[in-house]
């Protein structure tokens, strides 16, 4: 039976928005950036006696943008009208600019609205979206450039040999691409740790030039890389295509895309073998579905970037989906913040088929110490 509702057409009564900054468990860096904490902006959308959860990873100023610009645009709307709410939010940020921070803000709210809708209907979110699979393949992601050999070994071995995850990714592009010998050493170390059977992915976070990336790949051939993420910047479509045409591994990019038109240019340029989508950045579930359809029209699959518990339901409902990033930072945060976290053992996660919405429950008291702003 459906959950009890106060009206047959429940109106959105508002958004509760909060920000939390969580320290990393050790210093972290990739090829172009270093950090010691991560901030989550959490949205709780309410209607008909139910609450939906959505979030993004962004500065606390994102919460202010949601409160000041997005909440007035959707308050009072029917909770059923997720598409209408998505359009209203896009119109509300016209002068702010829909890309960047506004895209992150819209994503958090959109995900909360979809979760709310599913909970009102007492349905698992992935069922409401229309599941095409019961399990979502994942890959372990971490291997930060700041890690010692021992840290790298502990993390990769835990995924591959402990949890039997058959694909893992490490960061390369040390010092903005200026330390290729160490990159090659770490790639070889990673292959030695995981053995011959697991897939090895690398992510340069845009640290290299195009030809430098090709040289790095060729120098690492014995490690059998199958995925090269952002060998150059996601915005450098010509450079991405240069690398894509020169190496046999799949080239991937798109994680920073916040609107449909960016992804149209990415696909049209023939720049990637697989399109990366981040549901916490791209405009939420509403835009994820549109972008995935666009990629399918170009014969491309999509891969989910980060925020695995936010991404799992829509990934399960996406036909041309490949795999989802089981990102060390976000896994640790989401397990801390929510009851109902998923188990990656065997290399796949299964959205909860017994609970409504995304299956998560916010542990508000337990995480209050991280709250900021």
């Amino acid at each position: 039976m459906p959950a009890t509702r106060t009206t047959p057409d429940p109106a959105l009564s508002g958004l509760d928005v909060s920000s939390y900054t969580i320290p990393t468990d050790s210093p972290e860096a990739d090829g172009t950036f270093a950090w010691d904490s991560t901030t989550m902006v959490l949205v709780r959308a309410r209607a008909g006696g139910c609450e939906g959860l959505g979030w993004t990873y962004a500065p606390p100023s994102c919460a202010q943008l949601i409160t000041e610009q997005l909440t007035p645009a959707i308050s009072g709307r029917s909770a059923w009208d997720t598409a209408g709410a998505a359009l209203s939010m896009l119109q509300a940020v016209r002068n702010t600019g829909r890309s960047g921070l506004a895209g992150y803000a819209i994503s958090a709210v959109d995900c909360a609205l979809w979760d709310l809708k599913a909970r009102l209907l007492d349905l698992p979110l992935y069922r409401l979206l229309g599941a095409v699979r019961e399990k979502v393949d994942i890959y372990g992601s971490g291997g930060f450039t700041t890690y010692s050999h021992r840290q790298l070994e502990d993390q990769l071995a835990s995924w591959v040999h402990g949890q039997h995850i058959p694909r893992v990714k490490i960061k390369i592009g040390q010092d903005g691409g200026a330390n290729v010998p160490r990159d090659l050493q770490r790639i070889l170390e990673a292959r030695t740790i995981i053995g011959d059977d697991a897939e090895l992915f690398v992510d340069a976070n845009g640290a290299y030039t195009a030809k430098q990336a090709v040289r790095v790949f060729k120098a690492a051939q014995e490690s059998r890389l199958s995925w090269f993420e952002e060998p150059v910047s996601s915005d450098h479509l010509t450079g991405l295509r240069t690398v894509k045409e020169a190496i046999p591994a799949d080239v991937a990019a798109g994680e920073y895309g916040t609107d449909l038109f960016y992804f149209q240019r990415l696909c049209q340029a023939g720049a990637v073998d697989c399109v990366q989508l981040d549901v916490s950045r791209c405009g939420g579930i509403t835009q994820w579905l549109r972008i995935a359809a666009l990629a399918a029209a170009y014969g491309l699959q999509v891969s989910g970037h980060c925020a695995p518990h936010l991404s799992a339901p829509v990934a399960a409902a996406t036909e041309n989906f490949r795999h989802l990033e089981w990102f060390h930072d976000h896994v640790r945060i989401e397990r801390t913040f929510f009851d109902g976290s998923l188990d990656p053992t065997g290399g796949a996660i299964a959205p909860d088929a017994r609970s409504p919405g995304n299956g998560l429950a916010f542990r508000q008291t337990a995480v209050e110490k991280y709250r900021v702003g």
Side-chain angles (χ1 to χ4, degrees):
M1 293 291 292
T4 301
R5 305 196 291 268
T6 57
T7 69
D9 194 17
L12 293 169
S13 56
L15 304 175
D16 182 78
V17 189
S18 48
S19 302
Y20 303 86
T21 296
I22 306 94
T24 57
D25 53 6
S26 68
E28 295 176 356
D30 55 37
T32 53
F33 191 67
W35 62 98
D36 58 13
S37 66
T38 299
T39 298
M40 169 193 276
V41 176
L42 179 73
V43 174
R44 290 181 286 165
R46 298 189 179 94
C50 289
E51 179 179 278
L53 297 170
W55 64 91
T56 189
Y57 293 99
S61 55
C62 182
Q64 182 179 355
L65 193 156
I66 293 170
T67 299
E68 294 181 357
Q69 295 187 248
L70 302 187
T71 300
I74 64 171
S75 292
R77 271 191 166 274
S78 169
W80 306 136
D81 298 340
T82 47
L87 179 60
S88 291
M89 289 191 288
L90 287 174
Q91 291 170 337
V93 299
R94 189 198 70 176
N95 290 344
T96 303
R98 65 182 288 177
S99 60
L101 195 64
Y104 290 36
I106 290 171
S107 299
V109 177
D110 185 81
C111 289
L113 295 180
W114 274 102
D115 185 45
L116 172 63
K117 186 175 180 178
R119 291 177 193 253
L120 285 165
L121 293 167
D122 199 30
L123 280 173
L125 177 53
Y126 81 110
R127 295 286 190 212
L128 174 62
L129 294 168
V132 295
R133 60 182 58 83
E134 295 297 321
K135 291 187 175 182
V136 173
D137 286 340
I138 57 100
Y139 65 89
S141 173
F144 304 109
T145 59
T146 46
Y147 276 4
S148 66
H149 176 78
R150 178 62 181 271
Q151 287 175 297
L152 186 68
E153 183 176 34
D154 287 347
Q155 185 180 71
L156 298 186
S158 174
W159 284 330
V160 175
H161 306 304
Q163 295 180 305
H164 306 290
I165 298 172
R167 54 196 81 84
V168 293
K169 185 177 80 179
I170 68 168
K171 301 289 190 179
I172 60 172
Q174 181 82 35
D175 303 326
N179 196 344
V180 171
R182 185 163 189 267
D183 291 337
L184 295 174
Q185 177 188 356
R186 293 180 67 253
I187 292 170
L188 185 58
E189 288 175 356
R191 172 52 72 190
T192 302
I193 293 164
I194 67 176
D196 293 333
D197 296 331
E199 288 189 78
L200 180 57
F201 299 174
V202 292
D203 182 359
N205 289 99
Y208 298 134
T209 65
K211 288 190 175 182
Q212 182 186 22
V214 174
R215 291 193 295 270
V216 169
F217 178 86
K218 290 181 176 178
Q221 282 187 92
E222 64 182 284
S223 295
R224 293 180 290 107
L225 303 176
S226 56
W227 172 276
F228 201 156
E229 184 175 326
E230 280 201 311
V232 301
S233 168
S234 282
D235 294 320
H236 187 8
L237 303 187
T238 302
L240 286 169
R241 182 169 180 172
T242 295
V243 180
K244 171 179 171 283
E245 292 179 344
I247 69 174
D250 283 349
V251 170
E255 66 190 61
Y256 297 107
T258 54
D259 67 82
L260 184 69
F261 304 105
Y262 165 79
F263 289 98
Q264 190 270 340
R265 294 190 295 272
L266 182 70
C267 294
Q268 189 175 53
V272 294
D273 296 290
C274 189
V275 175
Q276 286 186 283
L277 280 177
D278 188 324
V279 76
S280 74
R281 295 173 174 174
C282 74
I285 290 171
T286 300
Q287 296 301 326
W288 168 300
L289 294 171
R290 298 180 73 198
I291 297 163
L294 169 71
Y298 283 89
L300 296 172
Q301 291 181 307
V302 298
S303 174
H305 174 265
C306 288
H309 291 87
L310 194 65
S311 308
V314 69
T318 302
E319 181 180 354
N320 58 322
F321 176 80
R322 184 182 297 191
H323 45 45
L324 173 60
E325 183 171 19
W326 191 251
F327 182 53
H328 171 73
D329 275 359
H330 294 179
V331 169
R332 188 174 61 88
I333 291 168
E334 290 165 14
R335 283 176 169 169
T336 301
F337 274 66
F338 307 108
D339 291 322
S341 59
L342 303 175
D343 181 4
T345 301
I349 53 177
D352 189 345
R354 299 166 298 177
S355 301
N358 56 30
L360 301 173
F362 179 42
R363 304 177 66 218
Q364 184 172 2
T365 302
V367 301
E368 191 62 27
K369 61 184 177 181
Y370 300 117
R371 187 161 181 161
V372 295

